[in-house]
Amino acid sequence: MIRGVLPVLHTPLLADETIDRESLEREIDWCYELGADGICGAMVSEVLRLTYEERLELTRLMSEVSDGRGAVIASVGAESTRQALVFARHAEEVGCDAVMAIPPVTTALPEAALWDYFSALAEQCSLPLIVQDASSYVGNAISIDFYRRLLEQYGAEKIRFKPEASPIGPNLSALRDATDGLALIYDGSGGILLVDAYRRGISGTMPGVDLLDGIIALWKALRTGDEAAIYRIYFPICAIVALQLQAGLDGFLAIEKYLLVKRGIISSEQRCTPHAWSLDEETKAEVDRLFDLLMQAL
């Protein structure tokens, strides 16, 4: 079942920017120890900055280290259909449970070309396909009508959705209503909109790993309707993610890797270079204060 809390892994890197396998294994083990329902590769895995060989290696390691403990979702979006199919078929071969794809980001595709891209993935890869609109980071928004057409063509077990175009909450409801509640939808807001998204009927959430214990506790509180616990946990998560959002994808990467090192999960804050923003001392101090509040709430 591809449901529940499905964290997006950060790719731990050594000083030469190659994958730190030991840290990756520790990160994956920590996810499952906390009760994650699976793991994903996606934008904060730095997939668009890894080499071709490293993307394949990350997918293989995710499946290998996960070893059946939860759903494994590989990121396969690429700049051409042929590239995306290579990544998708590799995910099949190494035992992943689903693939997730953003559209190409170097051009604004007309809907006919976008349809060809996603339909090729749906038809030439046997795994469920999560269609990701990552336009809050990269690329252009995908229309609700396009989502609906995909669902009608391929069915809800084959096609799922991770819509991240603003405004996220109203778009989740629009997709839900346009598909008569059939669409399986995943939140991708990092946790800042999780309460609102949950109340709109999502099937799962795909946060980063840095605040995963908080996200899992929040998910459980939402499921049981514990309103006091919901907001006690939610507010510090919101505040941390708000700091991440101010610098886009590099804001998430810098702060999340800082917290993962602080928590002893990965060994280095190393990111793929170049990047647009690094964590300054004043932001770091505020992150530390908010992180302490979250730990108190837990």
Side-chain angles (χ1 to χ4, degrees):
M1 298 295 290
I2 305 171
R3 293 178 179 271
V5 181
L6 304 159
V8 177
L9 297 176
H10 302 276
T11 305
L13 300 175
L14 300 170
D16 62 359
E17 298 186 23
T18 58
I19 295 174
D20 178 353
R21 175 170 178 152
E22 183 178 333
S23 286
L24 182 65
E25 290 178 357
R26 191 161 56 244
E27 182 181 5
I28 293 171
D29 288 342
W30 192 67
C31 290
Y32 288 118
E33 287 165 9
L34 290 176
D37 297 291
I39 55 173
C40 309
M43 294 300 98
V44 294
S45 308
E46 298 181 81
V47 292
L48 298 184
R49 299 174 180 179
L50 299 176
T51 67
Y52 167 77
E53 291 81 6
E54 287 167 343
R55 281 193 71 170
L56 298 180
E57 181 186 6
L58 177 63
T59 297
R60 178 182 60 79
L61 289 172
M62 285 169 54
S63 180
E64 179 183 301
V65 178
S66 190
D67 194 27
R69 288 179 285 177
V72 178
I73 302 159
S75 176
V76 303
E79 291 309 295
S80 73
T81 303
R82 288 177 63 244
Q83 287 176 315
L85 286 170
V86 167
F87 293 133
R89 288 167 181 154
H90 174 70
E92 278 186 290
E93 290 167 5
V94 300
C96 293
D97 299 288
V99 295
M100 182 161 60
I102 61 170
V105 298
T106 53
T107 186
L109 292 177
E111 283 209 347
L114 199 61
W115 181 268
D116 290 343
Y117 172 81
F118 281 116
S119 62
L121 282 169
E123 293 170 8
Q124 297 183 48
C125 175
S126 66
L127 301 177
L129 168 62
I130 300 170
V131 177
Q132 181 184 8
D133 176 345
S135 58
S136 57
Y137 301 125
V138 292
N140 298 283
I142 300 172
S143 73
I144 298 298
D145 184 62
F146 186 85
Y147 288 143
R148 181 186 54 76
R149 287 171 53 213
L150 279 173
L151 188 66
E152 289 175 353
Q153 179 71 25
Y154 297 106
E157 287 306 308
K158 181 66 180 182
I159 299 289
R160 292 101 183 283
F161 305 97
K162 189 186 179 191
E164 299 176 63
S166 296
I168 292 177
N171 284 335
L172 293 178
S173 292
L175 176 56
R176 178 199 65 205
D177 296 345
T179 61
D180 296 323
L182 293 177
L184 297 173
I185 306 171
Y186 306 93
D187 164 58
S189 69
I192 196 168
L193 296 174
L194 178 53
V195 173
D196 181 54
Y198 184 88
R199 300 192 197 283
R200 295 174 190 266
I202 57 171
S203 298
T205 184
M206 297 180 178
V209 176
D210 57 314
L211 305 177
L212 184 58
D213 44 358
I215 296 290
I216 287 175
L218 176 56
W219 185 263
K220 290 178 178 177
L222 286 164
R223 292 190 65 182
T224 59
D226 186 343
E227 296 293 315
I230 287 169
Y231 291 103
R232 185 177 68 249
I233 299 164
Y234 179 52
F235 288 152
I237 290 174
C238 283
I240 292 171
V241 178
L243 292 175
Q244 296 169 345
L245 280 168
Q246 67 183 335
L249 179 57
D250 279 319
F252 278 96
L253 289 170
I255 292 174
E256 290 176 343
K257 283 197 166 182
Y258 165 71
L259 286 172
L260 286 171
V261 171
K262 177 185 176 78
R263 307 192 73 169
I265 307 303
I266 66 175
S267 300
S268 169
E269 296 175 43
Q270 180 68 54
R271 292 175 282 154
C272 294
T273 53
H275 41 73
W277 184 78
S278 294
L279 185 58
D280 63 280
E281 289 302 318
E282 289 169 293
T283 304
K284 184 184 297 184
E286 184 63 12
V287 169
D288 287 340
R289 284 189 286 268
L290 293 168
F291 180 75
D292 288 345
L293 289 175
L294 176 60
M295 293 301 100
Q296 292 170 26
L298 295 177

